[in-house]
Amino acid sequence: MNYFFELLGVAVFGVSGALVAGRKRMDLVGVFVLAVVTAIGGGTIRDVLLDRHPVFWIADPTFLLGSIVGAGLTLLLARTRPPPVNSLAIADALGLALFTTGGVQIAQQAGQGGVVVVLMGTITGAGGGVIRDVLAAEIPMVFRKGHLYASAAIAGATLHLLLDMAGFVRPIPSLAGMVLIVGLRFASILRGWHLPVFEVYEEQVGGGEDETNRTHGP
């Protein structure tokens, strides 16, 4: 089940990377670079932190192929009809859910528990998207106001872990975690759900008049 989640996740994240490259009007090299980086970035960080060698896509190049296929299909479909408005957000939500679930399971197999499992699941799900956005010269989605992204992954990974600890048979914990992640992401996209925004108000005196400088926190 874990292998299936990761393979499907790289394909979906390959779609996500290709869509970002298309919106940035990149050439074919840029399309496939963003697709591959989005697909393998989070899992690579996870494997390095957990000291898993070789890294998952080196051990099984099928994962690289999956991301390339996802990007290629996106290119073909985009030539026949424009992608829907929320296509990137939908692909990202599905990839986040699949990879977070896979990351939780791999961390558990590595003998980790508690906070480390949740953190590894979140990194696996969100890490590739962060690298993609940085390469595309955008603020990573995990830091954008009005987006439940990393928080959705944390919630889904936590639910997965709690259901595992409660003794629910697999794949119930995995499916429940994925449904929660996708549900929170869609609620953020369609309903505008978001975390409270931290703001710092600083009073500055200049030119004889009081001025207020507003600084947004993370």
Side-chain angles (χ1 to χ4, degrees), residues 60-208:
D60 187 353
T62 304
F63 291 110
L64 282 178
L65 180 60
S67 65
I68 292 171
V69 168
L73 290 175
T74 304
L75 287 173
L76 292 175
L77 293 175
R79 287 185 174 276
T80 59
R81 57 177 299 178
V85 175
N86 288 325
S87 56
L88 174 58
I90 293 171
D92 228 33
L94 295 175
L96 182 68
L98 291 164
F99 255 37
T100 299
T101 297
V104 167
Q105 292 181 358
I106 287 174
Q108 289 175 320
Q109 291 168 6
Q112 302 298 327
V115 176
V116 174
V117 167
V118 174
L119 183 59
M120 289 301 107
T122 304
I123 289 173
T124 306
V130 171
I131 299 172
R132 175 202 65 207
D133 291 343
V134 169
L135 292 178
E138 292 187 352
I139 298 173
M141 195 172 292
V142 295
F143 301 136
R144 296 181 203 170
K145 177 183 176 181
H147 285 270
L148 294 178
Y149 196 79
S151 50
I154 291 170
T158 301
L159 178 61
H160 185 159
L161 178 63
L162 291 175
L163 292 179
D164 259 342
M165 293 171 62
F168 283 84
V169 294
R170 295 184 178 181
I172 292 176
S174 302
L175 295 176
M178 285 192 291
V179 168
L180 179 59
I181 292 170
V182 172
L184 288 174
R185 283 295 296 131
F186 281 8
S188 176
I189 295 164
L190 301 176
R191 299 284 185 175
W193 288 14
H194 60 84
L195 294 177
V197 176
F198 174 63
E199 295 180 307
V200 174
Y201 298 92
E202 297 177 350
E203 272 195 9
Q204 295 182 348
V205 179

Side-chain angles (χ1 to χ4, degrees), residues 51-62:
D51 198 27
R52 295 179 76 235
H53 299 292
V55 175
F56 77 106
W57 56 269
I58 296 177
D60 187 353
T62 304

Side-chain angles (χ1 to χ4, degrees), residues 6 42-50 52 56 103 106 120 124:
E6 286 218 317
T44 300
I45 297 171
R46 174 205 64 213
D47 285 355
V48 170
L49 291 175
L50 291 177
R52 295 179 76 235
F56 77 106
I106 287 174
M120 289 301 107
T124 306

